[in-house]
Amino acid sequence: VSGDNIYIAWITNKTGNDQVMFRSSNDAGATFNDIMNLNNATDAKLHDIQIAAGAENVVVIWRQQINATSDEPVARISADNGQTFESVANLASNGTINVIGT
């Protein structure tokens, strides 16, 4: 929660693939915007989702396991109260964060 903004993120497996879903309210929960799929993964297991917000910024972080040896933290960041998000960023990379698609 940040001011009148409420942000909710969760993992679902409704389609047979783990997905990170996001929903926001900009009027203290009186109404909510449409559900957004933040990762659109087709081959990953997702877990440990976290969300943080402050001012206009929203950060959603989760761990993404693509195979038995790959379990990496990734994030999507919004600078407009959760209306849009940057591409998925791989946080396990040293140096410049590697964008791995939407």
Side-chain angles (χ1 to χ4, degrees):
V1 176
S2 179
D4 284 339
N5 300 312
I6 299 172
Y7 306 109
I8 302 168
W10 69 96
I11 295 173
T12 186
N13 192 317
K14 207 174 198 182
T15 64
N17 297 306
D18 287 351
Q19 304 293 315
V20 174
M21 309 308 276
F22 174 84
R23 201 151 193 198
S24 64
S25 169
N26 304 110
D27 56 13
T31 62
F32 279 84
N33 297 319
D34 289 343
I35 296 170
M36 297 172 64
N37 185 333
L38 296 185
N39 74 315
N40 293 309
T42 58
D43 60 352
K45 290 289 188 188
L46 311 177
H47 58 97
D48 295 339
I49 191 168
Q50 298 179 41
I51 188 169
E56 294 87 29
N57 301 307
V58 181
V59 180
V60 181
I61 301 170
W62 64 91
R63 296 194 67 82
Q64 184 165 292
Q65 181 179 1
I66 296 175
N67 58 48
T69 60
S70 172
D71 186 23
E72 299 181 342
V74 295
R76 297 276 315 254
I77 301 168
S78 172
D80 59 5
N81 296 313
Q83 299 303 305
T84 62
F85 282 83
E86 298 292 328
S87 296
V88 175
N90 182 343
L91 301 178
S93 300
N94 284 325
T96 303
I97 291 179
N98 181 25
V99 174
I100 56 176
T102 55

